[in-house]
Amino acid sequence: MRVYAGIDALSGKRNYLVETVPAGPKAAAEAEKVRTRFVHQVDEQRNPRTKATVSQLMDRYLELLDVEETTWQRYEQTIRCHIRPLLGHLPVARLDGETLDSYQAILRRCREHCDGRRVVQHAVDGPHECTGKCRPHVCKPLATSSIRKVHYCLSGALGRAVRWRWITVNPLDQAEPPRGARSEPDPPTSDQAATILNAAFDEAWWGTFLWLAMTTGARRGELCALRWDRVDLDRAVATLRTSIAQHNTKTWEKGTKTHQQRRIALDADTVALIRAYRAQCEADAAALGISLTTDARVFSDAVDGTTWRRPSSVSNRYVRMCARLGWDMHLHQLRHYSATELITSGVDVRTVAGRLGHGGGGSTTLRAYTAWVAEADQRAMKTGVRMPMLPSSLQPDSKATPSPADTGPADAAGSPYQQIAADLRGAIVCGALRPGDVLPTVIELRERYDVSAGTANRAVALLREAGLVEVGRGRRARVVHELRVPESRERRPALRQSGRSTRR
């Protein structure tokens, strides 16, 4: 049975609906039913208007896709590598849920689409004599995030095919969607961050670049596009308006990823570092008889700041530097580090999301950029769960329980802020600081221990969480609790025998 269904929207040829009815005594009646169904589909415009293949649909989809160039390139690469080889030859009208589920199963088995065949991965193309570099193929599944990208491309293309009436039903609705991508951020530790900065400051621009990446959480393209007229050192604010995009060797300036500018506050140490770096840039320019313009790039290959640095070059240099230090790291992990440190120090998620340029009220920040921090977990366990006291028969022996006065030396071996907190705790224990006395100022702690203001503030925060000091806005931190050396071991059994119990 063959019914005319109009002109093919893609090829311009006559389009027919065709179905074969098996021979038999009821063949004529069955053919009449097929003809009636086809005629109703044509009248109601429920028939596919074209016999286009998936590859032709993808060509038309990319032609009309209105996205940024970098996004378009990623879509084109995904379609070229993973959609055309397996689905490109199939007619769009023949796609169904089973076909798409089988397609995703192939991607989960092997990213090279070998489907279990034994093949050899050759080092070069064309006829050659195999060497040790030509090895048997080992199947590696395609990453979940990449499978989701494939799903997004198919969803966008098939959704348009339904609107164009190339097909009547979206086959993706019949298929199982890929599982959600699992984010496992792995930022550097504070010790690793210090080592990275020490290695980077062999060159002033490189150390300043990584310092800003850690403190602001800005993307690499945003830092490459930063201009001097957008860094207000008097107000301690940096404004991020544009970003440098790159495809292969081509680079260009565009808007930020979220197409919104944001103002990021800078701490005193960062302002001092940028002032020193700018003075060095001006001195280098003056040595050549030129001067920096107000719109010069902060990080530039040229002395006059007229050009920007390539984002790929910055990333590759960071990977090589970390490899020399013995770590496998990439530059984007510094955004993870910034988000994790801010949230751990008590900054609310909305503020962190605003500094990083995230939307969704901070959900992206929590889901993808904040790593698990053991210190925050321990603090939550101390303050988050309120439980009754154990029965006297199950209470632990107080001889094995360290008192707050015994924790100072252990903390002193940790980070600098822990050492500062341990020294202040020791001063409270020995009576040098009594309830009502004020703690040394942050400036005094910075000069005494040669640390940053953030480290000194973090030490005071530890004492505040322990209930030893209180801090108010506009007032200096004061001691509110007195620590005493624990009682002698001879008196402890007597306290338990008298029936009195104490809470630590």
Side-chain angles (χ1 to χ4, degrees), residues 22-88:
K26 298 183 179 181
E30 293 295 331
E32 182 63 24
K33 291 181 182 179
V34 173
R35 187 189 70 83
T36 303
R37 174 162 48 86
F38 281 170
V39 170
H40 287 170
Q41 288 181 5
V42 173
D43 291 342
E44 297 173 5
Q45 297 184 348
R46 291 186 292 106
N47 63 294
R49 296 181 58 194
T50 179
K51 291 183 173 63
T53 62
V54 174
S55 184
Q56 291 174 312
L57 173 61
M58 292 301 166
D59 290 338
R60 185 63 172 163
Y61 173 65
L62 290 175
E63 179 183 350
L64 301 178
L65 190 61
D66 183 18
V67 293
E68 292 186 359
E69 183 173 350
T70 52
T71 304
W72 191 95
Q73 295 292 344
R74 288 194 294 268
Y75 275 51
E76 191 278 332
Q77 181 182 15
T78 300
I79 293 172
R80 171 169 41 85
C81 296
H82 299 296
I83 295 180
R84 295 187 192 274
L86 296 177
L87 301 178

Side-chain angles (χ1 to χ4, degrees), residues 183-390:
S183 177
E184 296 181 354
D186 186 22
T189 64
S190 56
D191 293 337
Q192 289 175 331
T195 303
I196 290 171
L197 289 177
N198 289 336
F201 269 107
D202 290 341
E203 292 188 54
W205 82 265
W206 182 231
T208 306
F209 186 96
L210 296 186
W211 181 283
L212 286 179
M214 291 182 183
T215 55
T216 65
R219 300 177 179 90
R220 63 173 188 174
E222 295 169 343
L223 291 178
C224 291
L226 188 62
R227 302 174 183 266
W228 280 116
D229 58 354
R230 296 173 185 170
V231 181
D232 191 342
L233 297 180
D234 295 331
R235 293 183 174 86
V237 172
T239 304
L240 302 179
R241 296 181 180 176
T242 59
S243 178
I244 302 300
Q246 179 174 358
H247 177 65
N248 296 331
T249 58
K250 176 184 176 182
T251 60
W252 66 95
E253 189 172 11
K254 65 179 189 66
T256 60
K257 186 174 182 180
T258 56
H259 306 287
Q260 294 179 351
Q261 71 172 12
R262 62 186 190 274
R263 294 165 58 86
I264 299 180
L266 306 176
D267 61 277
D269 291 340
T270 302
V271 171
L273 174 63
I274 297 177
R275 287 188 188 277
Y277 171 64
R278 180 178 175 85
Q280 179 177 343
C281 292
E282 292 176 344
D284 294 340
L288 298 178
I290 58 179
S291 60
L292 291 178
T293 60
T294 56
D295 61 346
R297 307 288 174 175
V298 176
F299 304 105
S300 174
D301 293 326
V303 178
D304 58 357
T306 54
T307 61
W308 55 66
R309 293 188 178 271
R310 294 179 179 271
S312 62
S313 300
V314 173
S315 295
N316 293 336
R317 177 169 184 166
Y318 182 80
V319 170
R320 291 193 299 267
M321 183 186 70
C322 291
R324 291 194 299 269
L325 297 175
W327 302 318
D328 182 14
M329 294 184 179
H330 53 84
L331 186 62
H332 198 73
Q333 287 175 312
L334 297 186
R335 276 173 63 81
H336 302 171
Y337 175 81
S338 179
T340 303
E341 289 296 311
L342 288 173
I343 291 181
T344 304
S345 61
V347 181
D348 63 280
V349 178
R350 284 186 175 273
T351 301
V352 178
R355 289 178 66 89
L356 297 180
H358 289 160
S363 59
T364 303
T365 307
L366 284 176
R367 182 178 66 253
Y369 285 87
T370 306
W372 183 262
V373 180
E375 179 185 346
D377 178 52
Q378 294 173 3
R379 184 165 65 246
M381 190 60 211
K382 291 179 181 178
T383 61
V385 182
R386 300 181 61 183
M387 297 294 292
M389 292 187 61
L390 290 172

